[in-house]
Amino acid sequence: TFLQSMEVASGDINKGKQLFAVCSACHGVNGEGKVSLNAPKLAGLSNWYLERQLNYYKNGVRGSDNRDTYGQQMLAVSAGLQNDNAIPDVVAYIQTLSYIPTVKPPITSKQSNLLSGKSLYNNCSYCHGNNAQGNYAMNAPKLVGQHAWYLKRQLQLFKAGIRGSHPNDLYGDQMSLMSKTLHSEQAVDDVILYITSLENSE
């Protein structure tokens, strides 16, 4: 199907493996992400989303705000993806990495927080899917399986206008507007609690 075709990266896996050696220093050899280096999980993300984000970094759409410390690091790394095939190649290799489920933190919050998060997620589900599985048609990435600390940081960046404010970040602008519907830090925590409670299908 068309959707399945969008999940198949077209680059050279062997060349991508060489390029990923630099990425693995922060994101891990299996693309599992590292909290100590503030690097998110890459394994399991759709190729179209990975390509878009790398192109955004390469062209300064992401990471150019001087308040985005970690984004600036990625901006510098993306400069090493010089030729036109580099991004498809490294994404093709990432697609071969085995998905390692994120260890879910124990839910110590009240049941009311989980229910609140579920209610708040209703707005998110229109783009990201009922199970946070992502939706190519809505340009919305997968959220399920991602680290909670990373999801929270991105929502904070969207709310602060650090992420999504670049004029060429059309999808980020949409997320900036949606993030402002979460009026408190507790609301952010609740919706992330709900997302991390979902089961990943991969």
Side-chain angles (χ1 to χ4, degrees), residues 53-78:
Q53 294 309 298
L54 284 171
N55 276 304
Y56 271 10
Y57 279 118
K58 191 173 180 180
N59 294 300
V61 176
R62 279 199 68 186
S64 57
D65 191 308
N66 58 17
R67 297 172 293 172
D68 187 2
T69 305
Y70 307 119
Q72 287 184 315
Q73 292 174 359
M74 264 301 301
L75 185 71
V77 172
S78 67

Side-chain angles (χ1 to χ4, degrees), residues 24-185:
S24 66
C26 292
H27 293 280
V29 294
N30 295 305
E32 71 274 20
K34 293 182 181 180
V35 63
S36 60
L37 295 172
N38 295 281
K41 176 183 289 189
L42 302 180
L45 289 174
S46 299
N47 66 300
W48 56 265
Y49 179 71
L50 290 169
E51 288 195 19
R52 188 177 82 205
Q53 294 309 298
L54 284 171
N55 276 304
Y56 271 10
Y57 279 118
K58 191 173 180 180
N59 294 300
V61 176
R62 279 199 68 186
S64 57
D65 191 308
N66 58 17
R67 297 172 293 172
D68 187 2
T69 305
Y70 307 119
Q72 287 184 315
Q73 292 174 359
M74 264 301 301
L75 185 71
V77 172
S78 67
L81 301 171
Q82 296 178 348
N83 65 57
D84 292 340
N85 296 322
I87 289 177
D89 289 348
V90 75
V91 168
Y93 177 69
I94 292 171
Q95 296 289 289
T96 70
L97 299 175
S98 298
Y99 176 81
I100 301 174
T102 300
V103 176
K104 294 184 179 182
I107 297 178
T108 56
S109 304
K110 297 177 181 177
Q111 182 68 14
S112 59
N113 294 112
L114 190 61
L115 293 174
S116 169
K118 182 177 182 179
S119 176
L120 290 165
Y121 184 75
N122 282 336
N123 286 332
C124 313
S125 68
Y126 291 114
C127 292
H128 293 280
N130 291 332
N131 295 306
Q133 74 273 19
N135 187 341
Y136 170 74
M138 300 298 291
N139 298 287
K142 176 190 286 188
L143 304 177
V144 66
Q146 186 56 267
H147 297 288
W149 55 264
Y150 179 74
L151 294 175
K152 182 169 184 176
R153 191 175 77 223
Q154 297 315 295
L155 279 172
Q156 291 171 331
L157 292 176
F158 278 121
K159 284 172 68 69
I162 297 172
R163 182 174 174 187
S165 59
H166 192 283
N168 292 331
D169 189 357
L170 302 179
Y171 313 115
D173 181 60
Q174 188 177 22
M175 258 306 299
S176 293
L177 292 173
M178 293 303 297
S179 69
K180 291 177 174 59
T181 65
L182 301 171
H183 300 298
S184 66
E185 184 173 1

